[in-house]
Amino acid sequence: PRYLVTWDVRVVLRFLAAWHPPASLSLKQLTLKTLALVAITSSDRAQTLESIDVEHSEITHLGIFFPIYSLLKCSKRNRPVRVVKCVRFETPSLDVSDYVVAYLQKTLRFRVRAVARGLPKPRQLFLSYSTGKPLRRGSISGYILEVMSLAGIDVSCFKAHSARGGAPSYQAS
């Protein structure tokens, strides 16, 4: 393994809980919080988060589910479709489903504007808060690092990929 220790996910969650309610957040804050919550609750790679398609999402009482139909680094033939599962936290200020819905409402203008310009509607969940274009893997990793840094995590020691290991350790505790 790359890391002998992991950062404390509770530090980031406490930081994110302060950014509440979603209606009071700027688009940048809402993007960062939603992306961080999805990354923490799903424990997936940035490539997988990049592939989340809003057209195939399902919200239930357990959380929000995104089937991934595109090929990923870990995809194999004749295997069931990969599903990104974002489990709900009990705390309303950390409810991933509520924040995804609020994020989709706030980014609807970018999606509508693309169609008005004759472009296809962006189907990816995460869009740039400045341009409205779909986020690529590198930007997703950068945004996760930004949240970690804002929360006080030493990002010189940890990379965005470390969120994959930190999340399950928190959920198990």
Coordinates of all heavy atoms in Angstrom, one line a residue, residues 126-162:
F126 N -20.7 15.8 -12.5 CA -19.8 17.0 -12.1 C -19.4 17.9 -13.2 O -18.8 17.4 -14.2 CB -18.6 16.5 -11.3 CG -19.0 15.7 -10.0 CD1 -18.9 14.4 -9.9 CD2 -19.6 16.4 -9.0 CE1 -19.2 13.7 -8.8 CE2 -20.0 15.8 -7.9 CZ -19.8 14.4 -7.7
L127 N -19.8 19.1 -13.1 CA -19.4 20.2 -14.0 C -18.5 21.2 -13.4 O -18.6 21.4 -12.2 CB -20.7 20.9 -14.6 CG -21.8 20.0 -15.2 CD1 -23.0 20.9 -15.6 CD2 -21.2 19.2 -16.3
S128 N -17.7 21.9 -14.2 CA -16.8 22.9 -13.6 C -17.7 24.1 -13.2 O -18.7 24.5 -13.9 CB -15.9 23.4 -14.7 OG -15.3 24.7 -14.4
Y129 N -17.4 24.6 -12.0 CA -18.2 25.7 -11.5 C -17.9 27.0 -12.2 O -18.7 27.9 -12.1 CB -18.0 25.9 -10.0 CG -16.6 26.0 -9.5 CD1 -15.9 27.2 -9.6 CD2 -16.0 24.9 -9.0 CE1 -14.6 27.3 -9.2 CE2 -14.6 25.0 -8.5 CZ -14.0 26.2 -8.7 OH -12.7 26.2 -8.3
S130 N -16.9 27.1 -13.0 CA -16.6 28.3 -13.7 C -17.0 28.2 -15.2 O -17.5 29.2 -15.7 CB -15.1 28.6 -13.6 OG -14.3 27.5 -14.1
T131 N -16.8 27.1 -15.8 CA -17.2 27.0 -17.3 C -18.4 26.2 -17.5 O -19.0 26.4 -18.6 CB -16.0 26.3 -18.1 OG1 -15.9 25.0 -17.6 CG2 -14.7 27.0 -17.9
G132 N -18.8 25.4 -16.6 CA -20.0 24.5 -16.8 C -19.7 23.3 -17.7 O -20.7 22.5 -18.0
K133 N -18.5 23.1 -18.0 CA -18.1 21.9 -18.8 C -17.9 20.7 -17.9 O -17.5 20.9 -16.7 CB -16.9 22.2 -19.7 CG -17.1 23.3 -20.7 CD -15.9 23.5 -21.5 CE -16.1 24.6 -22.6 NZ -14.9 24.9 -23.3
P134 N -18.1 19.5 -18.4 CA -17.9 18.3 -17.6 C -16.4 18.3 -17.0 O -15.5 18.6 -17.7 CB -18.1 17.2 -18.5 CG -19.0 17.7 -19.6 CD -18.6 19.2 -19.7
L135 N -16.3 17.9 -15.8 CA -15.0 17.8 -15.1 C -14.3 16.5 -15.6 O -14.9 15.5 -15.8 CB -15.1 17.7 -13.6 CG -15.5 19.0 -12.9 CD1 -15.6 18.7 -11.4 CD2 -14.5 20.1 -13.2
R136 N -13.0 16.7 -15.8 CA -12.2 15.5 -16.2 C -11.6 15.0 -14.9 O -11.6 15.6 -13.9 CB -11.1 15.9 -17.2 CG -11.6 16.7 -18.4 CD -12.5 15.8 -19.3 NE -11.7 14.7 -19.8 CZ -12.3 13.7 -20.4 NH1 -13.6 13.6 -20.5 NH2 -11.5 12.7 -20.8
R137 N -11.0 13.8 -15.0 CA -10.4 13.1 -13.9 C -9.4 14.0 -13.1 O -9.4 14.0 -11.9 CB -9.7 11.8 -14.4 CG -9.1 11.0 -13.4 CD -8.5 9.7 -13.9 NE -7.9 9.8 -15.2 CZ -7.9 8.9 -16.2 NH1 -8.5 7.8 -16.0 NH2 -7.3 9.1 -17.3
G138 N -8.5 14.7 -13.8 CA -7.5 15.5 -13.1 C -8.2 16.6 -12.3 O -7.7 16.9 -11.2
S139 N -9.2 17.2 -12.8 CA -9.9 18.3 -12.1 C -10.6 17.7 -10.9 O -10.7 18.4 -9.8 CB -10.9 19.0 -13.0 OG -10.2 19.6 -14.1
I140 N -11.2 16.6 -11.0 CA -11.9 15.9 -9.9 C -10.9 15.7 -8.8 O -11.2 16.0 -7.6 CB -12.6 14.6 -10.4 CG1 -13.8 15.0 -11.2 CG2 -13.0 13.8 -9.2 CD1 -14.5 13.8 -11.9
S141 N -9.7 15.2 -9.1 CA -8.7 14.9 -8.1 C -8.3 16.2 -7.5 O -8.1 16.3 -6.3 CB -7.5 14.2 -8.7 OG -7.8 13.0 -9.2
G142 N -8.1 17.3 -8.3 CA -7.8 18.6 -7.8 C -8.8 19.2 -6.8 O -8.4 19.7 -5.8
Y143 N -10.1 19.0 -7.1 CA -11.1 19.5 -6.3 C -11.2 18.7 -5.0 O -11.4 19.3 -3.9 CB -12.5 19.3 -7.0 CG -12.8 20.4 -8.0 CD1 -11.8 21.2 -8.6 CD2 -14.1 20.5 -8.5 CE1 -12.1 22.1 -9.5 CE2 -14.4 21.4 -9.5 CZ -13.4 22.2 -10.0 OH -13.7 23.2 -11.0
I144 N -10.9 17.4 -5.0 CA -10.9 16.6 -3.8 C -9.7 17.1 -2.9 O -9.9 17.2 -1.7 CB -10.8 15.1 -4.1 CG1 -12.1 14.6 -4.7 CG2 -10.5 14.3 -2.8 CD1 -12.0 13.2 -5.3
L145 N -8.6 17.3 -3.5 CA -7.4 17.8 -2.8 C -7.7 19.2 -2.2 O -7.3 19.5 -1.1 CB -6.2 17.9 -3.7 CG -5.4 16.6 -3.9 CD1 -4.2 16.9 -4.8 CD2 -4.9 16.1 -2.6
E146 N -8.4 20.0 -2.9 CA -8.8 21.3 -2.4 C -9.6 21.2 -1.1 O -9.4 21.9 -0.2 CB -9.5 22.2 -3.5 CG -9.8 23.6 -3.0 CD -10.4 24.4 -4.1 OE1 -10.4 24.0 -5.3 OE2 -10.8 25.6 -3.8
V147 N -10.6 20.3 -1.2 CA -11.4 20.1 0.0 C -10.6 19.6 1.2 O -10.7 20.1 2.3 CB -12.6 19.2 -0.3 CG1 -13.3 18.8 1.0 CG2 -13.6 19.8 -1.2
M148 N -9.7 18.7 0.9 CA -8.9 18.1 2.0 C -8.0 19.2 2.6 O -7.8 19.3 3.8 CB -8.0 17.0 1.4 CG -8.8 15.7 1.1 SD -7.8 14.5 0.1 CE -6.4 14.1 1.2
S149 N -7.4 20.1 1.7 CA -6.6 21.2 2.2 C -7.4 22.2 3.0 O -6.9 22.6 4.1 CB -5.9 21.8 1.0 OG -5.1 22.9 1.4
L150 N -8.5 22.5 2.5 CA -9.4 23.5 3.3 C -9.8 23.0 4.6 O -9.9 23.7 5.6 CB -10.6 23.8 2.5 CG -10.5 24.7 1.2 CD1 -11.8 24.7 0.4 CD2 -10.0 26.1 1.6
A151 N -9.9 21.6 4.7 CA -10.3 21.0 6.0 C -9.1 20.8 6.9 O -9.3 20.5 8.1 CB -10.9 19.6 5.7
G152 N -7.9 21.1 6.4 CA -6.7 21.0 7.3 C -5.9 19.8 7.1 O -5.0 19.5 7.9
I153 N -6.2 19.0 6.1 CA -5.4 17.7 5.8 C -4.1 18.2 5.1 O -4.2 19.0 4.2 CB -6.2 16.7 5.0 CG1 -7.5 16.4 5.6 CG2 -5.4 15.5 4.6 CD1 -7.4 15.7 7.0
D154 N -3.0 17.6 5.5 CA -1.7 17.9 4.8 C -1.7 17.2 3.5 O -1.4 16.0 3.4 CB -0.6 17.4 5.7 CG 0.8 17.8 5.1 OD1 0.9 18.4 4.1 OD2 1.8 17.4 5.7
V155 N -2.0 18.0 2.4 CA -2.0 17.4 1.1 C -0.6 17.2 0.5 O -0.5 16.6 -0.6 CB -2.9 18.2 0.1 CG1 -4.4 18.2 0.6 CG2 -2.4 19.6 0.0
S156 N 0.4 17.6 1.2 CA 1.8 17.2 0.7 C 2.1 15.7 1.0 O 2.9 15.1 0.3 CB 2.8 18.1 1.3 OG 2.9 17.8 2.7
C157 N 1.3 15.2 1.9 CA 1.5 13.7 2.3 C 0.5 12.8 1.6 O 0.8 11.7 1.4 CB 1.4 13.5 3.8 SG 2.6 14.4 4.8
F158 N -0.7 13.4 1.3 CA -1.8 12.6 0.8 C -2.3 13.1 -0.5 O -2.3 14.3 -0.8 CB -3.0 12.5 1.8 CG -2.7 11.9 3.1 CD1 -2.5 12.7 4.2 CD2 -2.6 10.5 3.2 CE1 -2.2 12.1 5.5 CE2 -2.3 9.9 4.4 CZ -2.1 10.7 5.6
K159 N -2.7 12.2 -1.4 CA -3.2 12.5 -2.7 C -4.7 12.3 -2.6 O -5.3 11.7 -1.7 CB -2.6 11.7 -3.8 CG -1.1 11.9 -3.9 CD -0.7 13.3 -4.1 CE 0.8 13.4 -4.1 NZ 1.2 14.8 -3.8
A160 N -5.4 12.8 -3.7 CA -6.9 12.6 -3.7 C -7.3 11.1 -3.7 O -8.3 10.8 -3.1 CB -7.4 13.3 -5.0
H161 N -6.5 10.3 -4.2 CA -6.8 8.8 -4.3 C -6.9 8.3 -2.8 O -7.5 7.2 -2.6 CB -5.7 8.1 -5.1 CG -6.0 6.7 -5.4 ND1 -7.0 6.4 -6.4 CD2 -5.6 5.5 -4.9 CE1 -7.1 5.0 -6.4 NE2 -6.3 4.5 -5.5
S162 N -6.3 8.9 -1.9 CA -6.3 8.4 -0.5 C -7.7 8.5 0.1 O -7.9 7.8 1.1 CB -5.3 9.2 0.4 OG -5.7 10.6 0.5

